[in-house]
Amino acid sequence: MRTFFAEGDLVFAEVQSYFADGALSLHTRSIQYGKLRNGQMVSVFPQLVPRSRSHFHSLPCGVDVVLGVNGYVWVSKHVPASKVEANAELIYSDKNEFISDEEREAIARVANCIQLLNRLYVKITDTSIIFAYEASLPHAAKDLLTRDVAVELAHSVKASLEQQS
């Protein structure tokens, strides 16, 4: 393991088993799993992240999101699976790729939308993130966490989710 990972690395893996002494057995069964790079970690209330069939989502804005039921959400630049398949070393690489200003803005906006949903206690799913992202576009990414904008966006997201169901 130490040839692939170092202490302090952020890793996306499934917990395969849990032992009485507190040790874990982790499983990385496909190319979606591995070191987390090119992004930002957001911590949310775990009860807001429902279990689902897949916790890895590629959003239409060019951002990938990993929704951990443990309350950790990873927001990153979209890297096509074909690129990772062509170069399997990317799974274990310590090097971040170049992130353009537009990609950085999208990552920051999605991360702020997730923090906003968390702060206002709204379920965090790929759908609620997309609704929050779209509602946030008239505002600067840095303004999303101000009280007035947050309340406005929360109402918009809740209304969109209610219309969908």
Side-chain angles (χ1 to χ4, degrees):
M1 281 295 264
R2 292 195 185 275
T3 59
F4 300 114
F5 303 114
E7 287 157 3
D9 283 346
L10 292 175
V11 179
F12 177 39
E14 288 182 352
V15 176
Q16 190 173 21
S17 55
Y18 179 78
F19 301 101
D21 65 354
L24 300 173
S25 175
L26 299 179
H27 185 52
T28 57
R29 61 186 163 99
S30 74
I31 61 167
Q32 284 183 332
Y33 299 93
K35 284 188 185 181
L36 297 174
R37 305 176 310 119
N38 306 320
Q40 175 180 349
M41 179 72 73
V42 180
S43 179
V44 300
F45 297 121
Q47 57 271 33
L48 293 180
V49 182
R51 291 193 181 280
S52 71
R53 202 169 168 87
S54 174
H55 293 277
F56 183 86
H57 304 281
S58 290
L59 303 181
C61 58
V63 171
D64 290 341
V65 175
V66 180
L67 300 172
V69 293
N70 60 357
Y72 292 112
V73 178
W74 183 252
V75 183
S76 65
K77 168 185 174 175
H78 176 69
V79 178
S82 59
K83 184 174 181 178
V84 177
E85 287 171 0
N87 186 0
E89 296 294 318
L90 287 177
I91 296 172
Y92 305 110
S93 174
D94 288 332
K95 305 268 191 259
N96 282 325
E97 296 177 13
F98 173 76
I99 300 176
S100 69
D101 290 343
E102 294 80 22
E103 291 167 326
R104 193 174 306 276
E105 170 82 18
I107 291 168
R109 183 175 294 278
V110 169
N112 285 351
C113 286
I114 293 168
Q115 289 177 348
L116 172 127
L117 294 171
N118 180 64
R119 200 165 79 187
L120 297 168
Y121 218 71
V122 176
K123 285 279 187 204
I124 298 170
T125 64
D126 59 325
T127 305
S128 66
I129 295 168
I130 291 169
F131 286 149
Y133 182 89
E134 290 171 353
S136 76
L137 291 174
H139 306 281
K142 65 179 182 168
D143 295 335
L144 297 183
L145 300 178
T146 61
R147 182 163 171 66
D148 295 338
V149 174
V151 170
E152 173 191 331
L153 292 177
H155 290 302
S156 175
V157 169
K158 286 179 181 178
S160 296
L161 289 171
E162 287 172 5
Q163 282 181 341
Q164 184 189 26
S165 47

